[in-house]
Amino acid sequence: MEDGVGVHGGLDVFKLVELGRRLRERRAEIEKAIFTRLPAADGEGLARGQREAIRSCLELVTLVFEQDGHWDDLPLVPPAAVIQARRVARSGGALSTVLQKYIGGYSVLWDFVREEIEQTSLVQADRAELLR
């Protein structure tokens, strides 16, 4: 990383860090979009856990961008997401429902990532590399 090149080939590290910063600035908007799209969990405890899981997943994704795509010191799945999946299972919820919600949230987040990438001053080749 000393030469300014990160894990994305010739793409400058600072462009990924900037993308992370821009996502962080829009975090409240992203959370609202995800909360709006996903059906609310049944019960206050499950609903609170769902909100915590969403926030922790957003934080993890933002950190990965801010660290140039390096996961070295980060969990693969945020602990709050694992706790929520267990909470849902204990309450009789289906794993397929949990996974559908994660996929739905990821889809909303990816729309924001694509939007931010398209709004950057990157050349087309760098945009395409980020979108891979």
Side-chain angles (χ1 to χ4, degrees):
M1 265 181 25
E2 295 163 2
D3 60 0
V5 177
V7 295
H8 296 282
L11 189 59
D12 192 309
V13 169
F14 300 107
K15 291 184 173 85
L16 288 176
V17 173
E18 175 65 14
L19 179 58
R21 185 190 64 76
R22 291 169 68 152
L23 290 172
R24 187 172 296 284
E25 287 175 356
R26 296 184 70 186
R27 185 169 172 165
E29 180 185 0
I30 296 168
E31 282 182 16
K32 183 178 179 184
I34 293 172
F35 294 152
T36 300
R37 171 146 178 209
L38 299 183
D42 294 332
E44 181 53 37
L46 289 176
R48 184 177 47 254
Q50 180 174 311
R51 289 189 301 272
E52 291 169 3
I54 289 168
R55 288 184 180 117
S56 67
C57 289
L58 286 175
E59 179 63 19
L60 179 62
V61 169
T62 303
L63 284 172
V64 169
F65 278 111
E66 290 173 342
Q67 295 182 25
D68 183 36
H70 293 285
W71 290 78
D72 301 340
D73 298 324
L74 300 172
L76 294 177
V77 178
V82 174
I83 291 167
Q84 178 64 2
R86 289 180 180 150
R87 200 178 282 134
V88 170
R90 281 194 305 270
S91 73
L95 177 60
S96 61
T97 302
V98 172
L99 294 175
Q100 287 172 349
K101 287 184 178 189
Y102 284 118
I103 291 167
Y106 174 81
S107 176
V108 171
L109 174 59
W110 187 240
D111 289 342
F112 280 89
V113 170
R114 281 195 313 254
E115 185 178 305
E116 287 299 327
I117 289 171
E118 290 302 319
Q119 292 180 8
T120 66
S121 60
L122 294 172
V123 296
Q124 186 58 36
D126 284 347
R127 283 187 189 147
E129 192 170 341
L130 275 175
L131 290 170
R132 287 190 301 153

